[in-house]
Amino acid sequence: QVQLVESGGGLVQPGGSLRLSCAASGTFFSINAMRWYRQAPGKERELVARITSGGWAYYADSVRVRFTISRDNAKNAVHLQMNSLKPEDTAVYFCNTEVTLISSSTRNFWGQGIQVTVSS
């Protein structure tokens, strides 16, 4: 199994910054794509950003330019630097990773979610 532990959430004023981190642990062969999703109250979970094992990044239109996703392959970690935060960024943020297991099968794992609140 693979465990994902998120950190870095909290309360920030509009225009402020936060950096989310997610570290993977467990037994696996490799980590492939790493993603951040978010879910606001009453809304569906949406993809915020994705980064491949080679470092190619994708962003949702709503966060492009303001957010930066990065990964540390040596530490099996992914980060999300969030700048110029807006109240509409308020949500629970979830880390998601695609993992190749020792058995060679591929599975997706989710973190427990971390709250980000943007409010004055």
Side-chain angles (χ1 to χ4, degrees), residues 6-44:
E6 297 134 334
S7 61
L11 173 65
V12 64
Q13 293 187 343
S17 298
L18 282 176
R19 185 174 188 252
L20 303 183
S21 295
C22 173
S25 62
T27 303
F28 49 86
F29 179 73
S30 66
I31 295 179
N32 308 321
M34 305 185 83
R35 309 175 184 93
W36 286 99
Y37 285 80
R38 68 185 181 187
Q39 187 166 19
K43 294 188 177 181
E44 293 186 356

Side-chain angles (χ1 to χ4, degrees), residues 24 28 31 34 71-77:
F28 49 86
I31 295 179
M34 305 185 83
R71 62 189 287 168
D72 183 338
N73 291 330
K75 296 182 178 179
N76 297 321

Side-chain angles (χ1 to χ4, degrees), residues 19-111:
R19 185 174 188 252
L20 303 183
S21 295
C22 173
S25 62
T27 303
F28 49 86
F29 179 73
S30 66
I31 295 179
N32 308 321
M34 305 185 83
R35 309 175 184 93
W36 286 99
Y37 285 80
R38 68 185 181 187
Q39 187 166 19
K43 294 188 177 181
E44 293 186 356
R45 191 171 297 188
E46 64 174 351
L47 177 65
V48 175
R50 178 181 70 228
I51 187 167
T52 66
S53 58
W56 184 86
Y58 160 86
Y59 298 94
D61 288 343
S62 58
V63 306
R64 190 169 291 122
V65 175
R66 299 187 298 122
F67 290 10
T68 302
I69 190 170
S70 61
R71 62 189 287 168
D72 183 338
N73 291 330
K75 296 182 178 179
N76 297 321
V78 63
H79 309 287
L80 186 68
Q81 178 66 42
M82 305 185 294
N83 299 328
S84 302
L85 283 161
K86 305 175 181 180
E88 51 263 44
D89 294 317
T90 295
V92 178
Y93 284 70
F94 296 89
C95 174
N96 170 275
T97 65
E98 180 186 275
V99 175
T100 299
L101 301 175
I102 300 299
S103 62
S104 298
S105 62
T106 300
R107 283 188 56 187
N108 275 292
F109 292 89
W110 290 89

